[in-house]
Amino acid sequence: MPETTLASHAIHRLEILGEDGDVDKALMPELSDERIVRMYEMMVLARSFDERAVTLQREGRLGTYPPILGQEAAQVGSASALLPCDWVVPSFREMGVHITLGYPIHRLFQYWGGDERGQRGPESLNILPICVAVGTQIPHGVGIAMAARYRRDPAVVCTYFGDGATSKGDFHEGLNMAGVFKLPAVFICQNNQWAISVPLKQQTAAATIAQKGVAYGIDGIQVDGNDIFAVYRATSDALAKARSGGGPTLIECLTYRIADHTTADDAGRYRTPDEVATWRRKDPLLRLERFMAGRGLWDDDVGRRVREEAVAEIDRAVLAMESAPQPEAEEMFTNTGATLSRRQIRQMEVI
Amino acid sequence: MSEQPEARITTYREAVREAIREALMKDERVFLMGEDVGHYGGCYAVSKGLLAEFGPERIRDTPLSESAFVGAGIGAALGGMRPIVEVMTVNFSLLALDQILNNAATLLHMSGGQFNVPLVIRMATGAGKQLAAQHAHSLEGWYAHIPGIRVLSPATIEDARGMLWSALLNPDPVIIFENNTLYNLEGELPADAGAVDIDRARVLRHGEALTIITYSASLHKSLEAAERLALEGIEAEVIDLRTLRPLDDATYLASIAKTHRALIVDEGWRSGSISAEISARIMEQAFYDLDLPVSRLCSAEVPIPYAKHLEDAAIPQVDSIMAEARRMVRHG
């Protein structure tokens, strides 16, 4: 008997906004000038947050912090596509998502300053706390999607993780289960190509992360992660498909971690300045500015004003964070459960 | 005169099934998921018939992915559901330990107090069915080490029936350990049996000679040993711990104040076990009540053997409990 081909799979890559600021008009999502300006403002705000966070850490006013520099398009672009009913399940390098959704910035600083109360999200947002344990949040996103499907509510769950997480069991198990149950879920991999010091090619022999979806029977697509319009479009399409019962999608946003893994890392020890410089030229913010300039939405004055407003907002957030009272020792006990054991109560009295 | 509800004979397995069934009927947020729980009815036949009654969304067969279905249970709980997750045996739960310890038990803390995780995980535990060294351990003590979760060990039919609903009412993660040798246990259950407390240990047999502190399948061995010891004139008090975290110290300390002798029977390995914890607590709180040192009967520190005679030899048995009780009573 001859061999037969059971299936063949193509992996697509979506690019809309070029480095020169030109867009592919056929693929360009429908976005008003106001929304584009809003997305730009969010990217600037995210970058300003990030710069300040690194500075505050250097000054000893924040704990270890994982920068998002260079990944703003992947974060603001995807978050801009969400509806208020949707859920976000973050890892730890998506502060641009938080900011776009209107998560209070002083609480982000508060968390990275060592105070878990900063993880209390506002009632209006469906967002889980930042998850530092790599990839373990992926099954949580699957479970929330199960709950949404069971209740027949229209929410879709957007779960974020990095390229390193795709090597973990929870990625495999979670996406497999989401595929089996055809859940309303979107999995967004910010492939920034470095998991601390391990480069992508040592993380996986696969040519793309998007193709891993094939094995789970779910759609996978790679997008230019520094192209905010491509990210927005891919996310919007995946959300619409999930909402109408079409099942999950894996979106690989190919981007680059321009800064260190965290403020406790020195990426200069394991990668070349040339590589970083190449990616600096692909800065998602510059690209959007070029597009907006061509549309008459941006010039130096607009850039300066948006930047100044962002910095002022960050100033206010830092002030709010630093004027919040420190947590009481009691709270480390009260947040272990609704009822404390007698032993815990005794320990609480001693501390 | 009010009529007493009739008691009926049932099994531990049926009692657990009834508890699940009642929970599914009472609260539409409750669902059961795990490997083989649906069409197959559970590897220990606990959920038999429930799929036909409640459908595949509420009795959900999952892929063979402990970390994913425990993690999804956490997610579903955060999303407003009241999941019951069945893990086939305690040994397999280790694949989900990251989800249990680093996530379920820490999320309330990590969320600054925002997210309780009302998740119930049930799993089979223990030796005695010749399931060998990778399916038969008793790791309850490990789980009892973790702040943020409650660990239940129903040993009686009443608790098998009643602990689940109490666990579901708990806003934080609860793990229920069902010893696989107990599923066929038969006994009486009042027709109106329902939720029980999950806070207190219980004295199941009164006596003055010594206190036997135990849980799960070892409870029944301890009770049998106590009945046989009574024929020799030794009246043992037998305490079922029921909840391993948080431990109810007061019940066994009160007993020791009376008997002055404490024997702990624990199917877990001896080193670093729940029996070691209880022993330390007795030393800390009741040292001067004791006539002789606390004694422990635990499993041999070996992987649980496959051969029946070796498996029996590796874990506490009625004879070893009786021998140790006699030694303690003779001693002082």
Side-chain angles (χ1 to χ4, degrees), chain A residues 36 62 65 70 100 123 135 139 153 178 197 210 261 309 324 340:
Chain A
I36 292 169
L62 228 59
Y65 170 79
T100 306
E123 290 288 320
D153 76 30
S197 69
H261 166 66
E309 284 172 7
L340 298 185

Side-chain angles (χ1 to χ4, degrees), chain A residues 67-231:
Chain A
I68 61 170
L69 182 63
Q71 300 181 216
E72 296 90 345
Q75 301 181 7
V76 175
S78 55
S80 298
L82 295 166
L83 296 184
C85 65
D86 292 334
W87 275 82
V88 170
V89 179
S91 75
F92 56 85
R93 202 190 300 283
E94 286 97 16
M95 279 66 78
V97 172
H98 287 84
I99 287 169
T100 306
L101 296 176
Y103 194 97
I105 293 172
H106 70 275
R107 292 218 186 138
L108 290 174
F109 280 131
Q110 188 181 17
Y111 174 63
W112 291 113
D115 183 347
E116 280 91 358
R117 290 175 305 175
Q119 297 249 53
R120 288 188 81 106
E123 290 288 320
S124 56
L125 289 184
N126 296 321
I127 186 164
L128 289 197
I130 285 167
C131 181
V132 178
V134 173
T136 62
Q137 76 282 11
I138 297 172
H140 306 164
V142 173
I144 296 173
M146 286 171 71
R149 165 57 55 84
Y150 176 74
R151 283 197 300 262
R152 306 284 184 270
D153 76 30
V156 179
V157 183
C158 206
T159 302
Y160 288 85
F161 46 87
D163 42 304
T166 65
S167 300
K168 289 200 66 176
D170 277 343
F171 168 82
H172 162 69
E173 293 191 16
L175 268 70
N176 182 56
M177 203 153 132
V180 167
F181 296 139
K182 217 174 176 191
L183 295 174
V186 177
F187 299 98
I188 298 187
C189 177
Q190 292 192 85
N191 176 2
N192 67 19
Q193 307 189 54
W194 288 90
I196 309 187
S197 69
V198 177
L200 184 64
K201 63 177 184 295
Q202 279 174 253
Q203 202 65 249
T204 177
T208 67
I209 287 185
Q211 73 198 60
K212 292 177 184 247
V214 172
Y216 309 119
I218 70 178
D219 293 333
I221 184 171
Q222 186 185 81
V223 304
D224 178 345
N226 286 14
D227 167 352
I228 191 164
F229 298 137
V231 173

